[in-house]
């Protein structure tokens, strides 16, 4: 998608805020048994896939099926269940097993650390350069306003490694290793974080690489390899879904100055322009944790994700009325755009700095961000 020119008046920014708040309040008032039944059914399905996967490891010819079932289980656990439960989307149910303060997921990243880096840092400072550490995860150059350095020639390699070891990259996110190297952070600040990560890593390693393989006796190596493969499949899938939500062409970034004294309407505006959707069927939406509706997720992060397809129609209508871009496309198109950007950002800028580029172009050309910030 190519971002059209955006011009919002302060009144339109306020109107955007009112319309989004109306949608939010209407959906919250309508939450009920259907939403509760949905997430409980997903949890049942996830557990069934995990039991099936671990049981099939006792039958060596069924190893591919075992890996597939366990991969589906881990993806459901992390995406549709873990990510959304830890956003507090189901706290209203009063179910301890689906409460954001108590849930722990099948991932080496401790849930409390993830909730800080994701729920607070990323969702508060979405696509604000220098504040949203998800822009490049501290190792990638994903925006032309990140100064180029020869280090970034390895951008595609770093992205590949982050994809393969994605859960580990997420776990190390809060350690801010790049700031340690740059002398902007003291290693003592990581003591408690490091201890928490190591406790979680030990539990995950014990489960996937010792306990369950040992239970299959002489099939230990096959089971260990199957668990590792399932973790790899989950890592690759999660990386690609998440990167397609924020880094395709047309997604905007913002400066901290543009977001000072930000109004409610401008906050919605930034979430809209800083996110992108993936079009597809119900299976894609389920397996992505409905992050295929990243725009709606960023507008309403605490609303149950199963509502995003329904909300998307209204959000899109508002965007059309206000002339705002609505960045969406099939998975292959968004993936191609993301990996094109990863490779492009590896090289020095070929255009003068003043020339608009990708996401920021629409905002810089129109001044909409500045108008909105002043609203």
């Amino acid at each position: 998608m190519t971002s059209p020119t955006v011009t919002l008046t302060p009144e339109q920014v306020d109107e955007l805020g009112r319309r989004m708040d109306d949608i939010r309040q209407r959906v919250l008032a309508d939450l009920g048994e259907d939403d509760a039944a949905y997430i409980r059914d997903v949890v049942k399905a996830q557990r069934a896939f995990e039991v099936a996967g671990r049981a099939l490891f006792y039958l060596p010819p069924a190893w591919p099926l075992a890996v597939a079932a366990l991969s589906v289980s881990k993806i459901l656990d992390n995406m549709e269940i873990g990510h959304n439960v830890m956003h507090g989307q189901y706290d209203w149910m009063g179910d301890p097993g689906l409460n954001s303060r108590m849930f722990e997921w099948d991932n080496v990243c401790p849930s409390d650390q993830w909730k800080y880096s994701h729920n607070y840092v990323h969702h508060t400072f979405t696509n604000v350069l220098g504040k949203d550490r998800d822009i490049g995860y501290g190792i990638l150059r994903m925006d032309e306003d990140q100064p180029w350095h020869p280090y970034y020639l390895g951008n595609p390699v770093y992205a590949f490694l982050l994809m393969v070891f994605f859960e580990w990259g997420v776990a190390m996110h809060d350690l801010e290793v790049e700031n340690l190297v740059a002398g902007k952070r003291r290693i003592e600040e990581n003591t408690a974080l490091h201890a928490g990560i190591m406790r979680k890593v030990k539990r995950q390693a014990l489960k996937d690489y010792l306990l369950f393989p040992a239970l299959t006796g002489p099939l230990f190596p096959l089971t260990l390899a199957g668990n590792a493969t399932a973790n790899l499949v989950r890592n690759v899938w999660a990386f690609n879904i998440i990167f397609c939500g924020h880094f395709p062409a047309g997604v905007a970034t913002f400066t901290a100055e543009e977001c000072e004294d930000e109004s409610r309407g401008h906050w919605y505006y930034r979430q809209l322009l800083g996110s992108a959707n993936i079009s597809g069927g119900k299976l894609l939406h389920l397996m992505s944790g409905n992050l295929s509706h990243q725009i709606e997720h960023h507008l309403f992060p605490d609303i149950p994700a199963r509502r995003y397809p329904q909300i998307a129609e209204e959000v899109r209508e508002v965007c059309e009325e206000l002339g705002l871009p609505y960045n969406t496309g099939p998975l292959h198109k968004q993936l191609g755009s993301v990996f094109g950007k990863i490779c492009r950002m590896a090289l020095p800028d070929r255009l003068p700095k003043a020339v608009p580029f990708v996401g920021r172009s629409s905002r810089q050309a129109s001044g909409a961000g500045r108008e909105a910030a002043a609203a």
Side-chain angles (χ1 to χ4, degrees), residues 20-211:
M20 293 298 115
D21 279 344
D22 287 345
I23 294 173
R24 171 181 165 76
Q25 292 305 321
R26 191 167 65 251
V27 175
L28 285 176
D30 189 50
L31 295 181
E33 187 53 38
D34 287 348
D35 302 279
Y38 170 81
I39 192 63
R40 285 175 175 142
D41 286 346
V42 174
V43 170
K44 288 178 185 174
Q46 179 267 322
R47 290 174 179 171
F49 274 110
E50 180 170 10
V51 170
R54 299 207 182 278
L56 286 170
F57 278 130
Y58 288 90
L59 303 172
W63 188 87
L65 288 176
V67 172
L70 193 57
S71 299
V72 171
S73 167
K74 287 177 176 287
I75 288 171
L76 288 175
D77 176 273
N78 281 196
M79 307 293 278
E80 183 67 323
I81 302 171
H83 172 271
N84 295 331
V85 166
M86 289 192 288
H87 262 292
Q89 294 181 4
Y90 299 97
D91 283 359
W92 55 272
M93 289 170 58
D95 184 337
L98 296 170
N99 188 285
S100 62
R101 288 171 293 180
M102 304 173 70
F103 190 87
E104 190 60 67
W105 60 352
D106 185 2
N107 191 296
V108 295
C109 181
S111 62
D112 58 338
Q113 294 186 24
W114 180 86
K115 283 184 283 190
Y116 174 78
S117 62
H118 182 82
N119 289 3
Y120 172 64
V121 178
H122 173 57
H123 274 271
T124 302
F125 306 107
T126 306
N127 281 26
V128 178
L129 286 164
K131 290 197 170 187
D132 182 1
R133 299 192 67 256
D134 279 22
I135 302 176
Y137 286 79
I139 60 173
L140 300 173
R141 183 175 185 245
M142 296 302 297
D143 189 276
E144 81 278 11
D145 277 355
Q146 290 175 270
W148 184 83
H149 184 277
Y151 161 84
Y152 290 117
L153 289 171
N155 226 31
V157 176
Y158 311 144
F160 176 78
L161 293 174
L162 180 61
M163 177 177 68
V164 171
F165 300 103
F166 192 55
E167 66 172 327
W168 298 91
V170 173
M172 295 176 66
H173 203 32
D174 282 355
L175 297 180
E176 301 186 26
V177 175
E178 78 281 8
N179 287 330
L180 284 176
V181 174
K184 298 177 181 176
R185 184 177 175 88
R186 292 179 295 111
I187 197 166
E188 293 80 9
E189 296 178 63
N190 284 347
T191 302
L193 294 171
H194 180 263
I197 293 171
M198 291 311 298
R199 283 194 295 272
K200 188 68 190 294
V201 166
K202 288 176 183 175
R203 285 203 297 271
Q204 290 297 110
L206 178 67
K207 174 173 68 72
D208 279 341
Y209 303 125
L210 182 60
L211 178 60

Side-chain angles (χ1 to χ4, degrees), residues 240-248 251 274-278 291 294 338:
N240 284 294
I241 292 298
I242 291 168
F243 268 59
C244 283
H246 287 295
F247 301 120
V251 172
S275 307
N277 283 4
I278 307 168
L291 291 179
Q294 191 74 249
V338 167

